[in-house]
Amino acid sequence: MDLLTNQQVLLLLLNIYLLYLGGTMNFKINKISLNQAISTVQKAISTRTTDPLLEGIYVRVKDNTITLFATDNIISIVTKIECKSTEDGEFVVASKLFGDIIRKLPDALIDITVDKNMMNIKCEKSKFNISIHSASGFPEIPSISGSQSFTMDCQELKTAIRQTSFAVSQDEIRKTFTGVLMHIKKDHINFVALDGFRLALKRVDLQVDLEEKSIIPARSLTELSKILPEEGEVKIITSLNAISFESESTCLYSTLLAGEFFSYDELIRKDHDLVAKVIRRELINSLERASLLAKEERANLVRVEIKDQILNISSNSEIGDVKEDIFCQMEGREIQIAFNSKYLLDGLKIMEDEEVRLNFIDSVNPLIIKGVDDESYLYLVLPVRLAG
Amino acid sequence: MDLLTNQQVLLLLLNIYLLYLGGTMNFKINKISLNQAISTVQKAISTRTTDPLLEGIYVRVKDNTITLFATDNIISIVTKIECKSTEDGEFVVASKLFGDIIRKLPDALIDITVDKNMMNIKCEKSKFNISIHSASGFPEIPSISGSQSFTMDCQELKTAIRQTSFAVSQDEIRKTFTGVLMHIKKDHINFVALDGFRLALKRVDLQVDLEEKSIIPARSLTELSKILPEEGEVKIITSLNAISFESESTCLYSTLLAGEFFSYDELIRKDHDLVAKVIRRELINSLERASLLAKEERANLVRVEIKDQILNISSNSEIGDVKEDIFCQMEGREIQIAFNSKYLLDGLKIMEDEEVRLNFIDSVNPLIIKGVDDESYLYLVLPVRLAG
């Protein structure tokens, strides 16, 4: 090995000194892009986090690209935006303060300089200096490799999330039911959620050539729904314990819930003894009125009786009683049955059909509700068994 | 006196028997009118009432008119609507339940029958029976007589309420300052609110030929503002301890607050050493950004320095600092002063002028803010004295 010349030694020392000082990062970015990127990754930050580091956003600047990343260890969101940068680097900044500052700046070019532990933000006549943290210790950006992938229409995925995620269990003890099952069955995907009282199933026709079940935490899906673009496609990659959704320059990763999902197929029987067709809006209005006398203390209990082409809803409490009649087209025999009106209403409100079909077996088996024109969605509610 | 015939005796006995049974009231009214009337009188009901009777609405039916009345003993609201009635009577019904039922009924004719302690509500295919209470024990509808009265434009009164009521004190110990002073001064009325940190004054020019001071609870005025029509006039009647506002078929009564109001005139000095004219929106935006680093723990403290036609706002906390420059047209000498930014923002946001004038004396005397084109409104803020 050759000896170093004096000049080379000097250069080496200078480099070590500069590294010790820390480089001065600088990047310029327009306010609207940065604001949107921050609000995207903020969706991953839990309001209930107890780890102060996870209240931060990780920022990396490299080759004229800013990468923003935030996580609560279940959901991780990464987004990239173009910028003009002169020096690369990475740091962590308090999410809420950074977001509030950028949001309130004028719609103009923002000039950000990072020097040691301070970030300097300039925009028109505003100048902020805020302290930042080292990126060391912040979780790694997750990646899923060697796994199966397919693409799906953004709008279809949003609809599937909206029509199922509300029906998951809120009970953290039975973790599995706090998630939505994504059941890939070669030529279609079933999204299924249930909580022991009702079940929501959305079928999306899609050629995937996979057979796979993933239980995705409901919060991951509702946050995903907020950041998915209105149109375009989303690339979905699944592995045993994680899933990612990538669209445009943003990727959401979520851990999956372990455990076996309920075999929902068995619940969905087809041997119905009564099918009643009603106008969805009329049924919602009548149920809402009947619920006024069947509040929490009565478990929202409403009685439903169908006969002579009339669907009658009634309920009562100490303060009074109510009776509602709705015209229906019925095929099959009469029925008397009772429900928690909240569960009926949740499903009816999420549907879009003008008319729905109510499929009954008897007063103890589940009611299955389907839109008259939409075979892709099914909502099932367990009746309340009345004493005596 | 003649003796009664057998027939007359029988009729008399029948009448006594019917009175004993209680008459069957019946009235018909369209849903939209009744719904609006209920939501009007509900504004008087306090969510914090401890008297179950005051959670009710008093209903009187007489001569094809329904009178609805609710009160929390400070605010009382009475409204009248026409109906088709066959029998007169009065009762009290639970406000929330009655309101919820009527609101959720279809927009059609409602048929209400009251028999003993039950009210029967029919509307299209809906039938409700709810229990009601006797009207005995419910407070009397208040009336103010033998007092001074004048009329005022509804919109002008709404503006005066909006521009002053936010500035009252929230401190229930100093009751007087939880109200807005209505100071009638012959040819104009001053509406004044203050809380020890800032003062809001709205002048309404009106020939009243009265000299009078009334301190009106702020909540009475904000509820009044919600039920006042968008146009037309309101008749105001004042007495020593009460005031009423009547417009169209609705009347709001309020008790007044006792005590002497602060002599606000002395506070409003005119000997200003510096007048700075700025664009209101720019000042709001800069103050909001500067406040991000001056939250509650720093008492929203922002420093303001005006010199060389520049208004500079700065603040700092452990996490960083911010500097904001705004161009201003200044007349007078330089100033350095500090404020709680919340008080500045409250007033600036309620104003409507594009430009405002900031009138300073020195760093310890109040700042007076006025719209450049609106002499009728004045907002005064006390500075924060800095140590050292």
Side-chain angles (χ1 to χ4, degrees):
Chain A
M1 196 174 105
D2 299 338
L3 284 173
L4 297 171
T5 64
N6 277 356
Q7 207 188 346
Q8 282 173 320
V9 170
L10 268 174
L11 268 173
L12 192 65
L13 286 173
L14 184 64
N15 272 329
I16 290 168
Y17 179 67
L18 282 175
L19 272 173
Y20 163 75
L21 277 179
T24 301
M25 278 169 70
N26 175 271
F27 55 100
K28 292 184 182 65
I29 170 94
N30 83 63
K31 175 251 168 101
I32 293 173
S33 310
L34 182 56
N35 186 44
Q36 209 205 311
I38 293 172
S39 107
T40 296
V41 298
Q42 278 180 333
K43 304 277 188 299
I45 297 175
S46 166
T47 50
R48 292 177 298 175
T49 183
T50 50
D51 181 350
L53 202 62
L54 296 188
E55 288 169 9
I57 295 176
Y58 166 89
V59 181
R60 182 174 64 205
V61 179
K62 199 176 174 189
D63 304 334
N64 293 316
T65 301
I66 309 176
T67 303
L68 297 179
F69 165 48
T71 181
D72 71 351
N73 284 330
I74 293 170
I75 307 176
S76 300
I77 304 178
V78 184
T79 193
K80 289 180 185 186
I81 35 172
E82 285 179 25
C83 70
K84 275 188 139 177
S85 65
T86 55
E87 186 91 26
D88 298 344
E90 55 176 10
F91 58 91
V92 172
V93 58
S95 158
K96 182 158 182 346
L97 181 66
F98 188 43
D100 286 350
I101 290 172
I102 301 303
R103 185 162 41 84
K104 288 195 178 281
L105 285 175
D107 291 350
L109 195 72
I110 301 177
D111 185 331
I112 296 183
T113 307
V114 174
D115 196 2
K116 297 228 187 87
N117 295 323
M118 290 303 277
M119 166 159 60
N120 175 263
I121 305 169
K122 271 187 231 163
C123 183
E124 291 188 345
K125 300 275 189 179
S126 302
K127 281 181 215 159
F128 280 87
N129 285 301
I130 61 173
S131 65
I132 52 170
H133 308 286
S134 149
S136 72
F138 201 82
E140 290 287 310
I141 295 179
S143 68
I144 302 179
S145 57
S147 311
Q148 309 281 7
S149 84
F150 60 96
T151 60
M152 192 173 164
D153 179 75
C154 282
Q155 205 43 254
E156 260 187 318
L157 180 55
K158 275 181 188 242
T159 303
I161 293 171
R162 186 174 62 81
Q163 291 193 323
T164 54
S165 58
F166 72 95
V168 301
S169 170
Q170 303 302 319
D171 183 355
E172 290 290 326
I173 312 272
R174 301 189 304 166
K175 261 295 191 204
T176 315
F177 297 143
T178 64
V180 175
L181 173 72
M182 185 176 78
H183 191 177
I184 306 175
K185 301 178 87 170
K186 287 201 168 161
D187 65 347
H188 71 276
I189 304 175
N190 283 343
F191 291 85
V192 188
L194 58 87
D195 68 355
F197 304 104
R198 38 70 185 281
L199 172 152
L201 188 157
K202 174 72 176 180
R203 176 192 167 115
V204 177
D205 287 319
L206 192 72
Q207 202 64 41
V208 185
D209 291 324
L210 271 175
E211 286 267 10
E212 205 176 68
K213 287 184 182 180
S214 310
I215 308 173
I216 309 163
R219 187 173 100 77
S220 301
L221 290 176
T222 48
E223 299 303 339
L224 172 66
S225 194
K226 291 178 199 162
I227 64 173
L228 276 180
E230 289 306 309
E231 43 193 42
E233 295 215 308
V234 50
K235 182 182 177 189
I236 303 175
I237 308 180
T238 62
S239 75
L240 249 186
N241 45 27
I243 190 166
S244 75
F245 301 86
E246 192 178 338
S247 83
E248 294 174 359
S249 49
T250 300
C251 188
L252 179 143
Y253 301 83
S254 173
T255 58
L256 294 178
L257 292 169
E260 197 62 38
F261 203 78
F262 191 82
S263 10
Y264 61 94
D265 272 333
E266 296 164 19
L267 214 56
I268 303 164
R269 288 169 58 175
K270 294 203 164 59
D271 50 335
H272 297 116
D273 285 346
L274 167 63
V275 179
K277 193 165 81 171
V278 292
I279 294 173
R280 188 175 62 93
R281 196 69 245 170
E282 283 191 7
L283 183 54
I284 290 175
N285 291 344
S286 286
L287 281 168
E288 283 187 334
R289 285 192 293 266
S291 305
L292 293 174
L293 288 179
K295 290 289 179 196
E296 287 72 16
E297 67 274 23
R298 314 272 309 172
N300 303 306
L301 185 78
V302 295
R303 287 156 199 266
V304 174
E305 182 174 10
I306 302 180
K307 70 172 181 184
D308 302 335
Q309 313 294 327
I310 296 288
L311 187 155
N312 173 271
I313 301 168
S314 62
S315 77
N316 59 66
S317 71
E318 282 159 26
I319 203 166
D321 59 75
V322 50
K323 286 188 175 50
E324 293 275 339
D325 282 344
I326 303 171
F327 171 76
C328 72
Q329 276 181 40
M330 62 182 279
E331 280 173 47
R333 57 181 187 78
E334 299 172 3
I335 201 168
Q336 281 189 309
I337 190 168
F339 293 99
N340 179 327
S341 63
K342 181 191 176 306
Y343 294 131
L344 286 179
L345 283 167
D346 280 354
L348 287 166
K349 285 183 181 172
I350 220 83
M351 299 172 85
E352 281 159 0
D353 304 74
E354 202 186 320
E355 289 181 295
V356 292
R357 272 199 195 89
L358 312 176
N359 304 278
F360 298 91
I361 295 171
D362 55 31
S363 66
V364 294
N365 271 296
L367 157 67
I368 290 179
I369 309 178
K370 280 187 178 185
V372 161
D373 303 313
D374 179 11
E375 278 297 306
S376 74
Y377 187 66
L378 173 155
Y379 186 73
L380 177 152
V381 192
L382 262 66
V384 177
R385 287 196 203 203
L386 295 176
Chain B
M1 197 173 103
D2 298 338
L3 284 174
L4 297 171
T5 63
N6 277 356
Q7 208 188 346
Q8 282 173 320
V9 170
L10 268 174
L11 268 173
L12 193 65
L13 285 173
L14 184 65
N15 272 329
I16 290 168
Y17 179 67
L18 282 175
L19 272 173
Y20 163 75
L21 277 179
T24 301
M25 277 169 70
N26 175 272
F27 55 100
K28 292 184 182 65
I29 170 95
N30 83 63
K31 175 251 169 98
I32 293 173
S33 310
L34 183 56
N35 186 44
Q36 209 205 312
I38 293 172
S39 107
T40 296
V41 298
Q42 278 180 333
K43 304 277 189 298
I45 297 176
S46 167
T47 50
R48 292 177 298 176
T49 183
T50 51
D51 181 351
L53 201 63
L54 296 188
E55 288 169 9
I57 295 175
Y58 165 90
V59 181
R60 183 174 63 205
V61 179
K62 200 177 173 187
D63 305 334
N64 293 316
T65 301
I66 309 176
T67 303
L68 297 179
F69 165 48
T71 180
D72 70 351
N73 285 330
I74 292 170
I75 307 177
S76 300
I77 304 178
V78 184
T79 193
K80 290 181 184 184
I81 35 173
E82 285 179 23
C83 70
K84 275 188 139 177
S85 65
T86 55
E87 186 91 26
D88 299 343
E90 55 176 9
F91 59 90
V92 173
V93 58
S95 157
K96 182 158 180 348
L97 181 66
F98 188 44
D100 286 350
I101 290 173
I102 301 303
R103 185 161 41 84
K104 288 194 178 282
L105 286 175
D107 291 350
L109 196 72
I110 301 177
D111 185 330
I112 296 182
T113 307
V114 174
D115 196 1
K116 296 229 188 86
N117 295 323
M118 290 304 277
M119 166 159 61
N120 175 262
I121 306 169
K122 271 187 231 164
C123 183
E124 292 189 344
K125 300 274 189 181
S126 302
K127 282 181 216 159
F128 280 87
N129 284 301
I130 61 173
S131 66
I132 51 169
H133 308 286
S134 148
S136 72
F138 202 83
E140 290 287 310
I141 295 179
S143 68
I144 302 179
S145 58
S147 311
Q148 310 281 6
S149 85
F150 60 97
T151 60
M152 192 172 163
D153 178 75
C154 282
Q155 205 45 253
E156 260 187 318
L157 180 54
K158 275 181 188 242
T159 303
I161 293 170
R162 187 175 61 82
Q163 292 194 323
T164 55
S165 58
F166 72 94
V168 300
S169 170
Q170 304 302 319
D171 183 356
E172 290 290 326
I173 312 271
R174 302 189 304 166
K175 262 294 192 205
T176 315
F177 297 144
T178 64
V180 175
L181 173 72
M182 185 176 78
H183 191 177
I184 306 174
K185 301 177 87 170
K186 287 201 169 163
D187 65 347
H188 71 276
I189 304 175
N190 283 343
F191 291 86
V192 188
L194 57 87
D195 68 355
F197 303 103
R198 36 76 184 277
L199 173 152
L201 187 158
K202 174 72 175 180
R203 176 192 166 116
V204 177
D205 287 319
L206 192 72
Q207 202 64 41
V208 185
D209 290 324
L210 271 175
E211 286 266 10
E212 205 175 68
K213 288 184 182 179
S214 310
I215 308 173
I216 309 163
R219 188 173 101 77
S220 302
L221 291 176
T222 49
E223 299 303 339
L224 172 66
S225 194
K226 292 177 199 161
I227 64 173
L228 276 181
E230 289 306 310
E231 44 193 41
E233 295 214 308
V234 50
K235 182 181 177 191
I236 303 175
I237 308 180
T238 62
S239 75
L240 248 186
N241 45 27
I243 189 165
S244 75
F245 301 86
E246 193 179 338
S247 83
E248 293 174 359
S249 49
T250 300
C251 188
L252 179 144
Y253 301 83
S254 173
T255 57
L256 294 177
L257 292 168
E260 197 62 38
F261 204 77
F262 191 82
S263 10
Y264 62 94
D265 272 333
E266 296 164 19
L267 215 56
I268 303 164
R269 287 170 58 175
K270 294 201 164 61
D271 50 335
H272 298 115
D273 285 346
L274 167 63
V275 179
K277 193 165 80 170
V278 292
I279 295 173
R280 188 175 62 93
R281 196 69 245 170
E282 283 191 6
L283 183 55
I284 290 175
N285 291 344
S286 287
L287 281 168
E288 284 187 334
R289 285 192 292 266
S291 304
L292 293 175
L293 288 178
K295 290 288 178 195
E296 287 73 15
E297 67 274 23
R298 315 270 312 170
N300 302 306
L301 185 77
V302 294
R303 287 155 199 267
V304 174
E305 182 174 9
I306 302 180
K307 70 172 180 183
D308 302 335
Q309 313 293 328
I310 296 288
L311 187 154
N312 173 271
I313 301 168
S314 62
S315 77
N316 60 65
S317 71
E318 282 158 26
I319 203 166
D321 60 75
V322 50
K323 286 189 176 51
E324 293 275 339
D325 282 343
I326 303 171
F327 172 76
C328 72
Q329 276 181 40
M330 62 181 280
E331 279 173 48
R333 58 182 186 77
E334 299 172 3
I335 200 167
Q336 281 189 310
I337 190 167
F339 293 99
N340 178 328
S341 63
K342 181 191 177 305
Y343 294 131
L344 286 178
L345 283 166
D346 280 354
L348 287 165
K349 285 183 180 171
I350 220 83
M351 299 172 85
E352 281 160 359
D353 305 73
E354 202 187 320
E355 290 181 295
V356 292
R357 273 200 194 88
L358 312 176
N359 304 278
F360 298 92
I361 295 171
D362 54 32
S363 66
V364 294
N365 272 295
L367 157 67
I368 290 178
I369 309 177
K370 281 187 178 184
V372 162
D373 303 313
D374 178 12
E375 279 297 306
S376 75
Y377 187 65
L378 172 156
Y379 186 73
L380 177 151
V381 191
L382 262 65
V384 177
R385 287 197 202 202
L386 296 176

